[in-house]
Structures are given as structure tokens and as C-alpha cells.
């Protein structure tokens, strides 16, 4: 497998973490799902910076986001599969 563009730790995750600096709009990104050791492909709908998240499915407003097998917050607006997920559309449930 070539080096991945994003990593998914757990099969229940609905976002992956970008691990490259060239996750540009229109690029087909290759992801490595650690649980099960498989690869997936997603087309980036926007430029996504290193360390930010990519939506693995269509995400609804108020939907819980799972990263590394854990609830990390909720969507504050909908995102499509391949969209950039970060503080502009994701918020912790603590506040």
C-alpha cells in the first residue's frame, strides 16, 4: 500500500485524520483503516490541512463525531463525504 493520505483508527470512526500536506480539493485521498488493516478512498471536496479531519460519510447537523473510537463532539452544520471537518463545523459537547 502506498503511504496513506489519512488514517482511521477504528471501524466505527466517521472521520479520518489527514497525515499529508497536499490533501487538495479534487484529489482522491487514500486512507488506512487500522482496525481491519484495509484501505479506503475518498475524494476531497475542499483543501484539508495536515492534522484536520475528513468526513468519511455524509454528516448531519448535530451528528456525533467519532474519532479514534471515541465521541469527540457534534457537527454544528452538515458536511458531505470528503468535506473538511474542524472547528468551523464541529464543536465539543462540553460547552
Amino acid at each position: 500500500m502506498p503511504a496513506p493520505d489519512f488514517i482511521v483508527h477504528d471501524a466505527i470512526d466517521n472521520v479520518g485524520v489527514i497525515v499529508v500536506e497536499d490533501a487538495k480539493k479534487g484529489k482522491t485521498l487514500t486512507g488506512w483503516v487500522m482496525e481491519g488493516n484495509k484501505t479506503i478512498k475518498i475524494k476531497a471536496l475542499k483543501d484539508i490541512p495536515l492534522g484536520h479531519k475528513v468526513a468519511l460519510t455524509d454528516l448531519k447537523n448535530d451528528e456525533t463525531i467519532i474519532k479514534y473510537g471515541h465521541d469527540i463532539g457534534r457537527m454544528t452544520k452538515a458536511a458531505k463525504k470528503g468535506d473538511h471537518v474542524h472547528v468551523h463545523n464541529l464543536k465539543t459537547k462540553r460547552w
Side-chain angles (χ1 to χ4, degrees):
M1 174 180 102
D5 298 304
F6 66 92
I7 294 177
V8 178
H9 282 236
D10 198 293
I12 66 169
D13 292 356
N14 53 10
V15 294
V17 178
I18 299 294
V19 295
V20 296
E21 293 182 355
D22 67 341
K24 302 293 183 194
K25 179 180 178 178
K27 180 179 179 182
T28 299
L29 306 174
T30 301
W32 174 41
V33 182
M34 296 171 76
E35 182 180 23
N37 192 31
K38 68 178 187 173
T39 59
I40 57 176
K41 295 200 179 273
I42 293 177
K43 186 174 181 178
L45 299 182
K46 297 179 179 161
D47 291 351
I48 307 172
L50 175 69
H52 290 213
K53 294 163 288 301
V54 60
L56 303 180
T57 63
D58 288 347
L59 301 170
K60 298 176 184 153
N61 182 43
D62 214 35
E63 185 168 349
T64 293
I65 299 305
I66 306 295
K67 177 178 132 183
Y68 305 148
H70 297 279
D71 178 340
I72 64 163
R74 65 176 181 80
M75 294 298 289
T76 58
K77 69 183 221 183
K80 297 282 187 188
K81 179 179 179 178
D83 259 335
H84 179 203
V85 176
H86 199 59
V87 297
H88 65 281
N89 58 5
L90 171 67
K91 183 176 179 173
T92 181
K93 293 178 180 175
R94 293 181 188 178
W95 296 281

